[in-house]
Amino acid sequence: YLVNLGSIDLHPWMSRVESPDSPDWAVIDLDPKEAPFTDVVRIAREVGRLLRGIGLVPYLKTSGSTGLHVFVGLAPGYTYAQSEMLCEMVARIVVRELPEIATVERALAERGGKVYVGFGQNRKGQTVVPPYVVRPVRGATVSTPLAWDELESDLQIAHFTLQNVPERLERLGDLFRPVLSAPQDLAAAITALEGYW
């Protein structure tokens, strides 16, 4: 049906039909707009460092468009409000650490050329592009899971396309699978975050 509509990229909810109030993952969206992509890379490193520091395993992927996404797989039973709270706390701490390049200001005109560290997609009914979806842009870029050691200053979203991602998947395996297969408990992490305030 969707193919017949001419749909290219699909943005699903973060929860399943069997548990619509309980997301499978939490996501932090790093959206540069006019900010340099090197700032996105730097902020992603900081988000990953912070999440690992509170005992979580973060996963990274390109948006396939302009930014990066950092995911945390969630154990069953957490609510959207809880996942949003976690991501908002992380976002605000990262912005406090990198105020010259990061902001939580959603309005584009108010960002001042900084990277938006978004947490608002962690709400019921909101969507985010999942991994391995081709984006309807020149070059047919693909939202691609990355290993953290690929997060270098020369990283380019344009490097991951419909033509080369299938071979990458064959070679590296599904780097995103643990988000769903190894869900994480947030209780200790949220307690640990309180130490950063």
Side-chain angles (χ1 to χ4, degrees):
Y1 174 77
L2 293 168
V3 170
N4 283 337
L5 288 177
S7 300
I8 296 175
D9 61 341
L10 308 175
H11 290 58
W13 282 21
M14 290 171 267
S15 53
R16 304 173 200 218
V17 92
E18 300 87 7
S19 53
D21 297 318
S22 183
D24 288 316
W25 58 58
V27 62
I28 294 175
D29 177 19
L30 305 179
D31 180 10
K33 289 296 186 261
E34 65 274 353
F37 194 72
T38 51
D39 289 353
V40 178
V41 169
R42 185 174 168 204
I43 293 167
R45 284 191 193 125
E46 182 65 18
V47 170
R49 185 196 64 76
L50 177 57
L51 289 169
R52 285 186 292 274
I54 60 171
L56 295 173
V57 179
Y59 296 88
L60 179 68
K61 74 171 186 64
T62 70
S63 69
S65 180
T66 60
L68 294 173
H69 295 151
V70 181
F71 283 79
V72 173
L74 301 179
Y78 284 104
T79 65
Y80 276 101
Q82 289 167 318
S83 68
E84 183 179 20
M85 178 185 72
L86 170 78
C87 292
E88 180 176 3
M89 291 172 73
V90 168
R92 292 190 182 280
I93 291 167
V94 168
V95 167
R96 186 183 69 200
E97 295 298 314
L98 300 171
E100 71 282 5
I101 61 170
T103 183
V104 291
E105 181 57 59
R106 184 159 167 66
L108 188 58
E110 302 298 319
R111 293 185 194 176
K114 299 177 183 179
V115 175
Y116 173 56
V117 185
F119 53 84
Q121 287 165 298
N122 296 284
R123 296 180 185 155
K124 186 175 179 180
Q126 294 294 307
T127 63
V128 67
V129 66
Y132 309 114
V133 166
V134 180
R135 305 306 301 272
V137 297
R138 182 178 296 278
T141 51
V142 174
S143 177
T144 305
L146 303 173
W148 282 94
D149 62 7
E150 294 180 280
L151 195 58
E152 299 292 339
S153 57
D154 62 347
L155 177 70
Q156 296 293 319
I157 288 176
H159 292 167
F160 307 98
T161 70
L162 179 62
Q163 294 197 336
N164 62 24
V165 167
E167 182 277 329
R168 173 186 168 85
L169 184 57
E170 183 73 27
R171 182 169 37 88
L172 298 179
D174 183 358
L175 298 177
F176 196 79
R177 182 175 295 277
V179 173
L180 294 174
S181 63
Q184 302 174 71
D185 191 337
L186 298 184
I190 290 172
T191 299
L193 266 180
E194 293 171 2
Y196 285 81
W197 292 104

